[in-house]
Amino acid sequence: MPDAPAPLDLSTLRGEIDRLDAEMHALLIQRGAIIEELIAVKKTSESGSAFRPGRESAVMKAIAERHRGILPLDTVESIWRVIIGTFTFVQAPYSVHADVSGGDAPMRDSARFHFGFTVPYVPHEGAPAVIAAVEGSRGDLGIFRIDQGASAGAWWRRLAAPQAPKIIARLPFIERPGHPAGTPVYVVSKPLADAAVREVVLYAVRVERWRDAAAEGIATLGGEIVCTTGLAGELSTLVAVPGRVEASDLVAALEASRAPVSEIVEVGSHAARLHLDDVAARAAAASRAAIS
């Protein structure tokens, strides 16, 4: 039997690490050069935010699907988020406005993890203030907790006007227990018609009276009630449904449940959530199929 190859010594291993570090840095420089060309082609610096939530979601999901080895996914995800968020900022500078009414720390963690330290972070008190700041900006983003509580009122109504900011993403893109920036948040920006991803669509719905069966009707469409609050004798609710569901389907389901709809307005959309457990299950299934 041939002898096993001798293990590499410490200096050789460190040399390999240095080589890889230099290659990664060179690749980042090359990425920056491509971004410079992209700016010239797209003129994003003249048109506001360069944020593309659909593409970003696809990139992050692909990373989760292919990741292997001892390096924690938390680290890999954070590295890519900083790269993407920073290069987006280089294309068209923006700030992230954050609702800190429920505490600054979790929102700062979300902003820094998902957008990096280069992007300015601006705190506000409440989702309505964040929405107003984004509306008055050139191309900024806003983030706030999905569960705002009853005291926040029907904040989603502020997204209803055609040119008002819209929900364009739900973070984190990859959900898992113990996520370092795991607070569920919505991202709002001025409308991005050419960049929106419509795997999940959000509607602001007003119903004249509520029936418990209405929630079941929404569930039959594969949707869910995100938030509700009373509004001038009616109930205002934020409903999330799969992108394949039309607004008319949602109205029909509610009215079949004897919850008459007085108004329905689309207020945004985002990519479907990716759960790490689902990734692991698919990897295990693929491994079993390969063995068989």
Side-chain angles (χ1 to χ4, degrees):
M1 294 291 291
D3 294 334
L8 298 176
D9 60 33
L10 186 59
S11 62
T12 301
L13 291 172
R14 285 174 174 166
E16 284 294 288
I17 290 173
D18 290 343
R19 178 184 63 79
L20 290 171
D21 286 347
E23 289 181 4
M24 287 189 291
H25 190 194
L27 289 172
L28 286 174
I29 293 171
Q30 290 179 38
R31 196 182 199 278
I34 294 172
I35 293 296
E36 286 187 291
E37 295 181 18
L38 191 65
I39 292 171
V41 171
K42 294 173 58 180
K43 295 181 171 57
T44 48
S45 61
E46 301 175 5
S47 61
S49 175
F51 192 58
R52 294 298 179 264
R55 176 167 169 74
E56 291 194 18
S57 173
V59 168
M60 300 315 300
K61 289 177 180 178
I63 287 170
E65 295 278 1
R66 70 174 180 247
H67 182 61
R68 300 290 185 274
I70 65 171
L71 187 64
L73 179 60
D74 290 347
T75 304
V76 176
E77 184 185 4
S78 66
I79 289 170
W80 255 265
R81 290 307 313 157
V82 169
I83 291 172
I84 292 171
T86 303
F87 276 114
T88 301
F89 177 81
V90 169
Q91 289 185 62
Y94 65 97
S95 296
V96 173
H97 300 268
D99 167 29
V100 299
S101 60
D104 177 74
M107 300 309 294
R108 193 175 291 269
D109 285 349
S110 289
R112 293 313 185 206
F113 185 93
H114 294 290
F115 303 105
F117 286 85
T118 303
V119 179
Y121 170 84
V122 186
H124 297 270
E125 286 291 331
V130 169
I131 294 167
V134 171
E135 188 167 22
S137 73
R138 185 181 179 201
D140 290 351
L141 301 180
I143 61 173
F144 46 81
R145 291 176 298 108
I146 293 174
D147 181 13
Q148 286 283 304
S151 62
W155 55 263
W156 50 92
R157 295 292 311 155
R158 295 175 180 266
L159 308 175
Q163 296 306 312
K166 298 289 181 282
I167 295 168
I168 60 168
R170 185 190 192 282
L171 300 177
F173 288 120
I174 306 167
E175 295 192 341
R176 56 189 179 277
H179 193 293
T183 301
V185 300
Y186 281 139
V187 181
V188 295
S189 81
K190 288 185 174 180
L192 296 176
D194 62 334
V197 55
R198 298 178 59 81
E199 294 174 356
V200 177
V201 179
L202 297 146
Y203 292 98
V205 183
R206 291 175 64 172
V207 295
E208 296 176 9
R209 57 183 176 274
W210 186 250
R211 306 285 186 181
D212 290 341
E216 298 175 8
I218 293 170
T220 61
L221 299 175
E224 63 176 336
I225 298 169
V226 181
C227 306
T228 59
T229 190
L231 184 66
E234 297 182 323
L235 187 75
S236 180
T237 182
L238 179 65
V239 178
V241 294
R244 66 179 183 277
V245 176
E246 300 290 339
S248 56
D249 298 329
L250 179 55
V251 171
L254 288 168
E255 295 194 341
S257 304
R258 295 192 298 163
V261 175
S262 58
E263 184 182 40
I264 180 168
V265 182
E266 184 177 324
V267 295
S269 61
H270 60 77
R273 286 171 274 178
L274 176 67
H275 295 274
L276 199 59
D277 289 346
D278 297 335
V279 175
R282 284 195 293 272
S287 177
R288 289 194 297 271
I291 293 172
S292 62

